Amino acid sequence: MTRTGDEAAGAVGSDPAKGSDPSGVVNLDEKFGRVSEYWQPRVVAELNDYQFKIARVKGEFVWHDHADTDEAFFVLEGTLRIDLPDGAVEIGPGELYVVPRGVKHRPVAEEEVKLLLVEPRGVVNTGDERGDLTAESDVWI
């Protein structure tokens, strides 16, 4: 079934005023074409209180946690390692990993990785570990 206008926009939980296509379709390739900085997640859609964010990452991020929420990493291109207190997980294209709330972790990308993050609105990318890699929250593209 094809949806049009307001019906389609509501179906994906997007907000056209915040940069989404009025049809409700989010083209990730087009959105990634507008992101050049590493470790700066950008919101592309919302579903209830959850945001879908895209990010380009390369190098080591900071050790951090999110006390009140899980964080989902879905790799679209490249290979991402997520260091954990008891080891590491490696996820590649088409793979998803959820870091449970309160678990310290550090994403690492030897080469550029394109990923989709899913987390509640307002989550700070570095948790309580503020620093140079802390991105502004809730920035739409």
Side-chain angles (χ1 to χ4, degrees), residues 23-104:
S23 71
V25 175
V26 177
N27 183 309
L28 295 179
D29 286 335
E30 184 271 329
K31 298 292 186 185
F32 271 111
R34 297 169 53 194
V35 174
S36 59
E37 304 133 311
Y38 293 131
W39 304 110
Q40 299 293 308
R42 296 293 183 248
V43 181
V44 296
E46 283 189 341
L47 174 69
N48 299 318
D49 293 333
Y50 280 80
Q51 293 181 328
F52 293 79
K53 302 174 182 178
I54 61 168
R56 289 180 184 267
V57 300
K58 186 175 179 181
E60 289 185 357
F61 200 58
V62 297
W63 280 98
H64 68 287
D65 66 3
H66 302 285
D68 299 322
T69 187
D70 300 337
E71 183 177 25
F73 292 83
F74 180 65
V75 173
L76 302 169
E77 292 181 19
T79 301
L80 182 71
R81 186 180 82 230
I82 301 176
D83 293 338
L84 301 163
D86 297 328
V89 295
E90 193 169 278
I91 54 177
E95 294 182 320
L96 169 75
Y97 182 76
V98 177
V99 177
R101 75 185 70 210
V103 173
K104 287 261 188 202

